[in-house]
Amino acid sequence: MSDSESELSPYVSYRERAEWQDIVPLEQEEGLAPVVQIAYSDRFRETFSYFRAVFAKDELSERALDLTREAAMLNPANYSVWVYRRKLLKALDRDLLEEQNFLADIIEMHPKNYQVWQHRKEIVEWSQDPSLELEFTANMFTDDAKNYHCWQHRQWIITRFGLWDGELEFTAKLIEKDRRNNSAWNQRYFVVNHEIEQLEATAAGGAGDADETQKAVILHREIEFSKKQIAKDSHNESPWSYIKGVFRLMKQKLHLSVTMMALCDELMKDKSPHVAAFLIDAKEELLGQQGEGGSEQVNSILEEVVRLCEILADEWDTIRKRYWNYLAELLQVKYQGLPD
Amino acid sequence: MNVYIRRCLSYEGAFANTPMSEAHGGSTYCAVASLQLSGSLNKQLDADELSALARWCLQRQYTGFAGRPNKPWDTCYSFWIAGTLHILGMTPLVAHDENRQYLLEAQDPVIGGFSKYPNHFPDPLHSCMATVGLALSGFASLQPVCATLNIGEKANDKLDELRRIWRQKDGV
């Protein structure tokens, strides 16, 4: 029995309801020799038999609408119910705010169901009213701050209706609450990416320089933000992948960042695999620039990289020792022309 | 399809469900398997991207695998993530002992089956994924896996044979 079955009003069999006498319920086709049959409750079985009947007739009525509510509560994953419900809402010209309230309840009961979120998206698209959405998603995050559907919905709302204001602060708030919330860090990237897109869109002709300065300001801001979180726990993966992503977005080199390189040197004492991995990536950038095949400088950088891989394999990140050993070998072959 | 998949490549180096969403084990598997099945994997992702992708997948392992950074380990990711690694040819780099141990601990000792974590309720999805996950990590007599289709290698060979016969029939 799904959670919401108990939320439904006391059951009167459809068979016994006067207003449903004209409908012949359509049983589900199970085939000649069904295996692994689901043990439906009588209520479930009957509700869906009546659903199939009205669905087949394409009946657009109040009673059909009520029926879809019951069916959706019993199995919110049945997408035919939702498609039909949308058709009914349109045909009966129903109040969409009321529908959003219903959705708020059912989403809270089934927060990881695809169909309820899709339905909410369709209703908002139809009403063109996103005014409840940021608060709704923020509320959902208090129960589960990493709900994928919720983040996806929030991103859609923001993109679709241009509600970017305050989102950077929202991510900061969530990260402050839990710096390990990778979804919040992803959302921050989503916002910063938009900031950069805006800059690049407005930059034209002579404004090109202003664009680069503004980018540098954003990069600096994000470095400082990430640094603050890294300082609290350098073993947290999220800020590291985030800041590397931001560097990439800005087309900037890791090894040229005095701040980041100094931070890494300082944090080596924490024995964080992310610090070592960052240094490996930064030094690989350098190797890439120097070109391949054994100059003294290349060999020296390569030695550092191999040393870092060894530390990771043998001490700091032993679960991935095969990977770090493989990486060391790969880089040595690439930059020193060692035999495979 | 390829254009959309690329748009779903996240700054983390793995794939999200939709552009700009969070990189996730499930969508990563779907993206990589799709690219592989359509012969597009090495055309759509360059060496650096494949490298970053492999690293992201490998970093999901603690003992078992998780689907996103800082999320709990869940037996089904021993398929989604380890399966992806298999497609990338990176299976030798997985810590198989630890993976197998985690999966076996997630069995229900009374009714059988696997759940997402130890001491939880078993279900068909996790039972299937954990079994394939064990096969990918070379457990006992479990058959080799064709990760792109989540079927046995033997079954996939049979499919290839059927395709060959059909082509012959069609004179292709």
Side-chain angles (χ1 to χ4, degrees):
Chain A
M1 200 210 296
S2 80
D3 287 336
S4 44
E5 184 158 349
S6 52
E7 301 281 334
L8 288 165
S9 42
Y11 185 50
V12 175
S13 164
Y14 282 90
R15 257 184 311 261
E16 289 159 27
R17 300 189 207 182
E19 69 275 21
W20 282 98
Q21 288 309 307
D22 60 308
I23 293 292
V24 178
L26 254 154
E27 295 295 320
Q28 180 165 267
E29 298 238 9
E30 298 272 21
L32 289 172
V35 292
V36 201
Q37 277 191 286
I38 298 175
Y40 299 115
S41 65
D42 289 337
R43 177 172 200 171
F44 188 102
R45 192 183 296 278
E46 208 200 23
T47 303
F48 274 94
S49 294
Y50 274 80
F51 169 76
R52 278 182 285 273
V54 290
F55 186 74
K57 289 175 75 220
D58 204 26
E59 178 180 314
L60 300 175
S61 65
E62 285 289 332
R63 70 174 182 178
L65 184 68
D66 290 340
L67 177 50
T68 59
R69 173 189 255 262
E70 301 236 334
M73 291 285 273
L74 286 169
N75 182 9
N78 188 320
Y79 44 81
S80 304
V81 172
W82 291 108
V83 168
Y84 188 48
R85 188 173 174 83
R86 284 194 281 279
K87 198 172 182 180
L88 284 160
L89 289 167
K90 283 210 162 91
L92 301 173
D93 196 22
R94 293 297 288 238
D95 178 11
L96 295 178
L97 190 59
E98 201 186 312
E99 187 68 359
Q100 265 174 294
N101 288 335
F102 165 55
L103 269 168
D105 290 339
I106 200 167
I107 289 175
E108 254 169 73
M109 286 186 265
H110 303 278
K112 296 195 181 185
N113 167 291
Y114 284 84
Q115 288 70 38
V116 297
W117 286 101
Q118 176 66 19
H119 190 68
R120 190 164 181 112
K121 180 180 179 183
E122 301 248 11
I123 298 300
V124 171
E125 180 63 53
W126 183 12
S127 69
Q128 286 292 298
D129 178 11
S131 60
L132 298 175
E133 302 311 292
L134 293 182
E135 193 185 328
F136 175 70
T137 49
N139 271 337
M140 291 297 295
F141 288 139
T142 57
D143 273 333
D144 176 4
K146 300 182 185 184
N147 183 317
Y148 203 95
H149 304 271
C150 198
W151 281 110
Q152 208 168 302
H153 185 75
R154 193 178 172 95
Q155 280 198 355
W156 175 74
I157 291 287
I158 289 171
T159 309
R160 178 75 180 81
F161 297 98
L163 302 175
W164 298 94
D165 265 359
E167 192 62 4
L168 195 68
E169 291 70 32
F170 183 74
T171 67
K173 209 175 74 177
L174 284 179
I175 289 167
E176 208 47 51
K177 208 168 166 194
D178 176 10
R179 57 182 168 269
R180 283 184 186 75
N181 184 342
N182 198 66
S183 310
W185 286 97
N186 183 76
Q187 188 76 346
R188 196 172 176 90
Y189 184 89
F190 167 68
V191 176
V192 171
N193 179 70
H194 177 79
E195 280 184 314
I196 300 303
E197 279 181 348
Q198 294 290 92
L199 283 179
E200 286 174 352
T202 56
D209 280 9
D211 169 64
E212 286 308 310
T213 315
Q214 281 172 288
K215 274 191 194 176
V217 167
I218 294 174
L219 180 58
H220 176 80
R221 183 192 74 202
E222 294 312 305
I223 290 173
E224 289 306 304
F225 182 86
S226 305
K227 224 180 120 173
K228 205 173 106 182
Q229 297 303 327
I230 287 170
K232 293 180 189 177
D233 179 9
S234 64
H235 287 255
N236 175 11
E237 186 180 341
S238 298
W240 291 101
S241 50
Y242 172 76
I243 199 60
K244 276 199 259 198
V246 174
F247 267 82
R248 190 133 191 240
L249 178 66
M250 311 267 191
K251 300 184 174 60
Q252 295 296 321
K253 297 288 179 191
L254 304 175
H255 70 266
L256 291 176
S257 169
V258 174
T259 315
M260 289 308 297
M261 296 307 281
L263 179 68
C264 286
D265 285 337
E266 189 195 313
L267 290 175
M268 283 296 279
K269 61 178 169 19
D270 281 1
K271 306 190 184 195
S272 160
H274 307 298
V275 175
F278 188 96
L279 285 171
I280 289 170
D281 291 342
K283 290 175 196 294
E284 221 213 313
E285 269 174 0
L286 267 173
L287 287 171
Q289 280 174 222
Q290 309 282 358
E292 301 157 24
S295 84
E296 234 181 74
Q297 198 170 23
V298 166
N299 283 340
S300 154
I301 299 170
L302 197 51
E303 237 178 75
E304 288 170 29
V305 172
V306 170
R307 176 86 190 103
L308 285 164
C309 287
E310 279 171 3
I311 294 172
L312 285 165
D314 300 334
E315 298 169 45
W316 298 1
D317 199 23
T318 57
I319 189 87
R320 271 165 283 282
K321 67 168 183 277
R322 289 173 196 81
Y323 171 70
W324 297 115
N325 289 332
Y326 161 80
L327 186 65
E329 223 178 277
L330 194 76
L331 294 173
Q332 282 175 295
V333 166
K334 187 173 182 186
Y335 294 105
Q336 231 161 27
L338 285 181
D340 230 314
Chain B
M1 177 185 85
N2 291 339
V3 169
Y4 184 75
I5 291 177
R6 265 216 73 94
R7 282 182 60 211
C8 294
L9 187 59
S10 138
Y11 67 86
E12 292 189 58
F15 295 92
N17 277 10
T18 49
M20 300 309 289
S21 286
E22 194 182 358
H24 184 281
S27 36
T28 295
Y29 168 78
C30 291
V32 174
S34 301
L35 290 174
Q36 179 75 334
L37 286 166
S38 60
S40 310
L41 185 60
N42 292 298
K43 293 178 203 146
Q44 288 300 316
L45 298 177
D46 64 35
D48 288 340
E49 288 167 332
L50 286 168
S51 180
L53 174 60
R55 189 194 287 187
W56 185 89
C57 290
L58 287 161
Q59 283 175 322
R60 292 318 113 229
Q61 181 172 25
Y62 179 76
T63 50
F65 286 87
R68 294 181 262 172
N70 295 323
K71 286 278 277 179
W73 310 287
D74 175 337
T75 53
C76 67
Y77 294 107
S78 290
F79 174 69
W80 305 120
I81 299 284
T84 302
L85 286 165
H86 194 72
I87 297 170
L88 296 173
M90 298 281 156
T91 299
L93 303 181
V94 170
H96 294 291
D97 289 345
E98 289 84 341
N99 183 41
R100 279 193 303 260
Q101 191 173 9
Y102 179 75
L103 290 169
L104 292 172
E105 278 169 21
Q107 290 177 101
D108 187 302
V110 177
I111 64 174
F114 293 82
S115 13
K116 52 184 352 193
Y117 358 91
N119 305 311
H120 198 64
F121 309 105
D123 63 57
L125 178 111
H126 291 93
S127 299
C128 174
M129 295 300 170
T131 306
V132 182
L134 281 169
L136 282 169
S137 271
F139 179 73
S141 57
L142 292 178
Q143 309 262 344
V145 172
C146 166
T148 47
L149 293 173
N150 194 5
I151 59 179
E153 245 176 37
K154 253 184 2 193
N156 189 48
D157 290 343
K158 182 73 186 178
L159 273 178
D160 281 344
E161 175 65 20
L162 281 172
R163 286 189 203 106
R164 196 185 57 78
I165 292 169
W166 292 335
R167 278 195 208 102
Q168 263 181 355
K169 274 198 178 156
D170 291 345
V172 175

